[in-house]
Amino acid sequence: MDALPPSAAGAVHGWGIRPRAGTLYAWGRNNTGLFGNGTTTDSSVPVRVSGLTGVRAIAGSKSRDTKYVLRWDGTVWAWGKNSYGQLGNGTTTDSLVPVRVSGLTGVRAIADSGVTGYALRRDGTVWAWGHNAQGNLGNGTTTDSSVPVRVSGLTGVTAIAGSGDTAYALRRDGTVWAWGGNFFDGLGPLPDPTLFTSVPIQVSGLTGVTAIAGGGLSAYVLRSDGTVWAWGGNNVGQLGNGHGGVGSRTPIPAQVSGLTGVTTIAAGPYTAYAVRSDGTLWAWGQNWNGQLGIGTISIPGLEVTLPVQVSGLTGVTAIAGGDENGYALRSDGTVWAWGSNNYGQLGNGTTGDDVPVPVQVPGLIGVTAIGAGWGTGYAITSFFAAHGQPQGR
């Protein structure tokens, strides 16, 4: 059941996890059960998510209270709040432990957008479940669904992402498609920025795209030439073009200033991150809690509107952005965190003041993927050797 499917050999999106690896750990905020271990108790050190093995990837950075994981057997599991059916198991009952999303097999990637979940299957189709007031499910309706429904008209999809009430799909031809809400111009140029679309439409002016990422109000793409482009809300400079301010936004994708040779992108609600081919990490946007990791904390109104290098990190292979935190995975399998620590989301056994430079999450080794939430960090690993015995095992 946990074996790597033959069709996934080579690892989608660069994942390098071994077929039977995949134990998931969480730390930080847990008041709504985001640890998936049956409790609502916060922890400043990593604890194991209950009952899951063979975990391949985690999503859920856009949702405050619901998490999603993809297992190597192609199934999707979820836990947390379920008021709109966002757990995808045919109910609206919350769960403090993982439950399987109904009817999904052969999944290769997952994403979320607020209280809506998304899955990309190996056949290139996209499926969605949960909240649908702004056409978030992409199936031509505005009716919520507690089980997955197919997003209309999309084939040949290679990657998916979520941003606020908007969802995105990258097709094999390098074009990007979007659906859902458009309050901050996340769909691209439309006659009325308050409109939404319940079926996917193409984002204008984008070709040669190789990766996509969603923030809280904005969207980002990596193009084949190593440049990063962004559009949507820009109130705290999260588009990385040197501008920003209350009400600032743009519906037209524009290049993030000064970045070349980028290999990986990610975003938090109001921050964005890019890894360059030399393994350095760059960040821009909101920095009120030090979530850019650049050694300083910015006051509101003095935002970081251009990319700045994250302090002291090299050999970065993956990144994840939370609401007030950033997380990085290095090539040696270690995890590093920075930003707010009021819930213990730095994972180093402490709580307290913001930390604007990366610190290592102790004891996590052999990590293959990371994730972030609203005050919570996640790591998928084969090993755990911290703080004595692993917690929750």
Side-chain angles (χ1 to χ4, degrees), residues 282-293:
W282 297 71
W284 61 97
Q286 188 184 77
N287 193 38
W288 301 352
N289 302 92
Q291 59 262 57
L292 297 186

Side-chain angles (χ1 to χ4, degrees):
M1 186 175 186
D2 298 329
L4 174 63
S7 61
V12 178
H13 303 307
W15 287 313
I17 193 170
R18 291 183 299 176
R20 293 190 178 275
T23 301
L24 180 63
Y25 289 88
W27 61 95
R29 183 176 77 95
N30 189 39
N31 61 318
T32 57
L34 291 177
F35 290 179
N37 65 351
T39 76
T40 56
T41 303
D42 298 343
S43 177
S44 62
V45 296
V47 298
R48 184 174 176 177
V49 175
S50 300
L52 283 178
T53 59
V55 178
R56 176 178 183 174
I58 182 165
S61 62
K62 308 307 179 295
S63 171
R64 287 181 179 269
D65 301 314
T66 310
K67 306 305 293 183
Y68 304 94
V69 298
L70 169 63
R71 295 181 65 189
W72 276 105
D73 63 3
T75 61
V76 180
W77 297 69
W79 62 94
K81 294 292 186 180
N82 195 30
S83 51
Y84 298 97
Q86 64 263 38
L87 294 186
N89 66 342
T91 77
T92 54
T93 303
D94 299 345
S95 180
L96 295 178
V97 295
V99 296
R100 183 173 173 178
V101 176
S102 300
L104 283 178
T105 58
V107 175
R108 62 183 293 187
I110 53 174
D112 77 296
S113 175
V115 283
T116 312
Y118 301 92
L120 168 61
R121 298 183 67 180
R122 287 196 296 268
D123 62 2
T125 61
V126 180
W127 297 70
W129 60 96
H131 187 52
N132 195 33
Q134 296 190 71
N136 315 62
L137 300 184
N139 67 341
T141 77
T142 54
T143 303
D144 297 344
S145 178
S146 61
V147 295
V149 296
R150 183 173 173 179
V151 176
S152 301
L154 284 179
T155 58
V157 175
T158 60
I160 53 176
S163 172
D165 283 320
T166 313
Y168 301 92
L170 170 62
R171 297 184 68 180
R172 190 175 296 111
D173 62 3
T175 60
V176 176
W177 297 69
W179 64 96
N182 194 45
F183 184 69
F184 286 92
D185 293 329
L187 294 175
L190 293 179
D192 182 347
T194 63
L195 288 175
F196 65 86
T197 176
S198 61
V199 294
I201 59 174
Q202 186 174 349
V203 178
S204 302
L206 287 176
T207 58
V209 175
T210 60
I212 53 177
L217 306 174
S218 315
Y220 306 85
V221 299
L222 173 62
R223 298 182 70 179
S224 56
D225 62 1
T227 60
V228 180
W229 296 67
W231 68 98
N234 195 35
N235 56 312
V236 290
Q238 63 264 48
L239 297 187
N241 60 8
H243 304 287
V246 176
S248 177
R249 62 193 185 197
T250 177
I252 301 172
Q255 186 173 346
V256 175
S257 300
L259 281 180
T260 58
V262 174
T263 59
T264 304
I265 56 173
Y270 302 101
T271 57
Y273 303 91
V275 179
R276 299 182 67 180
S277 56
D278 61 2
T280 59
L281 177 59
W282 297 71
W284 61 97
Q286 188 184 77
N287 193 38
W288 301 352
N289 302 92
Q291 59 262 57
L292 297 186
I294 59 176
T296 62
I297 296 174
S298 305
I299 63 174
L302 294 176
E303 316 301 349
V304 180
T305 61
L306 293 170
V308 181
Q309 186 173 347
V310 175
S311 301
L313 280 181
T314 57
V316 177
T317 60
I319 44 181
D323 59 326
E324 298 175 347
N325 294 90
Y327 299 91
L329 172 61
R330 296 182 65 184
S331 56
D332 61 2
T334 60
V335 178
W336 297 70
W338 57 93
S340 177
N341 197 35
N342 52 330
Y343 298 106
Q345 55 264 57
L346 298 185
N348 63 353
T350 71
T351 57
D353 295 338
D354 300 336
V355 177
V357 294
V359 296
Q360 186 175 351
V361 179
L364 289 173
I365 59 176
V367 174
T368 55
I370 54 176
W374 292 75
T376 315
Y378 297 88
I380 301 171
T381 180
S382 304
F383 308 100
F384 191 91
H387 312 292
Q389 294 297 317
Q391 298 199 25
R393 174 169 283 175

